[in-house]
Amino acid sequence: MSIPVLLSANYLPPVSYFHAISQHADSILLDQHEHFPKQTYRSRTHIATANGILDLMIPIQHGRKEHVAMKEVKISYDHDWQRLHWASIQTAYRSSAYFEYYEDEFAPFYERQFEYLFDFNREQLELMLRLLKIQREIQCTDRYVKNYEGLDFRTSIHPKKTSVYTNPKVYYQVFEEKTGFQPNVSIIDLLFNQGPQSKMYL
């Protein structure tokens, strides 16, 4: 049995995240004990819109502690970010080939209030793996591991770093003629545009 690939629990992760999963491991190990780092995919995602890339960020509650374990990070509902995120996703993908096919699966994440970011991200991951028909067991760390013996993508899959995803192929995007192809955006972009063919792309 192969060693699980070590990943952070990310919000609607980029395509490269699922490339790492589909190509490199039979199971997933999510780090729930890492210190929550700012400006990463753990609380933000990128979607392709008519005006280019749009960042969607989940607000979190800020306590006095500078270092908070990922499993303890709480989502803030001081403003209605769920409605704004879902409206943005609908606007971006309503005309895509498969949005209507999948929208009822994603809508509950923007109606139900999760207390913890880790739980929100993990449940979304379970959904996306099911829709992509990628069968992987998901485990969670029981402690923080600095030096991992297997493949560790916690820091390499990052908004400000070059994608670890090297697939040169493009796929149809709704606004490609206007904005050009936008690589490595959220997996929902691939899923809503390619549907059942998404797994083959990965």
Side-chain angles (χ1 to χ4, degrees):
M1 183 176 177
S2 64
I3 298 176
V5 60
L6 181 59
L7 293 160
S8 298
N10 292 351
Y11 173 41
L12 296 178
V15 172
S16 58
Y17 188 94
F18 290 88
H19 172 75
I21 291 172
S22 64
Q23 297 295 317
H24 299 299
D26 297 324
S27 58
I28 300 164
L29 185 62
L30 291 181
D31 192 344
Q32 62 177 343
H33 291 279
E34 64 175 350
H35 289 153
F36 174 76
K38 298 177 181 178
Q39 299 183 347
T40 65
Y41 288 125
R42 290 156 185 80
S43 59
R44 72 172 58 196
T45 190
H46 302 318
I47 62 172
T49 75
N51 297 314
I53 298 296
L54 175 65
D55 282 4
L56 299 178
M57 289 168 281
I58 298 177
I60 63 170
Q61 295 182 22
H62 295 281
R64 294 182 179 179
K65 296 180 181 179
E66 290 185 8
H67 300 297
V68 179
M70 181 66 185
K71 68 172 185 170
E72 297 173 356
V73 174
K74 293 186 177 183
I75 298 174
S76 172
Y77 294 95
D78 288 344
H79 70 271
D80 195 2
W81 65 268
Q82 289 176 294
R83 181 184 61 81
L84 294 173
H85 282 210
W86 187 235
S88 296
I89 291 170
Q90 288 177 307
T91 299
Y93 298 110
R94 175 61 70 190
S95 61
S96 64
Y98 294 94
F99 179 77
E100 291 187 0
Y101 185 75
Y102 295 123
E103 67 174 318
D104 288 345
E105 301 271 15
F106 285 93
F109 287 95
Y110 301 95
E111 297 164 352
R112 171 187 166 194
Q113 289 193 356
F114 287 73
E115 183 176 7
Y116 293 99
L117 179 63
F118 184 87
D119 296 336
F120 179 85
N121 289 350
R122 176 177 175 164
E123 285 199 27
Q124 277 198 334
L125 175 60
E126 291 171 348
L127 168 64
M128 290 178 285
L129 289 173
R130 176 168 61 80
L131 296 180
L132 290 165
K133 294 181 171 56
I134 297 175
Q135 295 184 348
R136 295 291 186 275
E137 178 186 0
I138 299 177
Q139 307 170 50
C140 297
T141 57
D142 55 12
R143 59 187 173 83
Y144 176 69
V145 180
K146 183 176 181 180
N147 299 311
Y148 184 61
E149 293 181 359
L151 288 170
D152 181 356
F153 289 100
R154 289 175 296 179
T155 60
S156 58
I157 298 177
H158 191 282
K160 296 182 179 180
K161 293 184 179 180
T162 302
S163 172
V164 296
Y165 187 56
T166 57
N167 191 339
K169 296 185 296 182
V170 300
Y171 56 88
Y172 173 79
Q173 292 177 326
V174 177
F175 303 108
E176 185 177 350
E177 289 187 6
K178 181 178 180 181
T179 64
F181 180 75
Q182 304 285 359
N184 202 38
V185 288
S186 171
I187 191 65
I188 62 172
D189 185 88
L190 178 64
L191 195 60
F192 292 157
N193 284 302
Q194 296 296 301
Q197 303 301 315
S198 298
K199 185 178 179 180
M200 292 179 62
Y201 179 84
L202 295 169

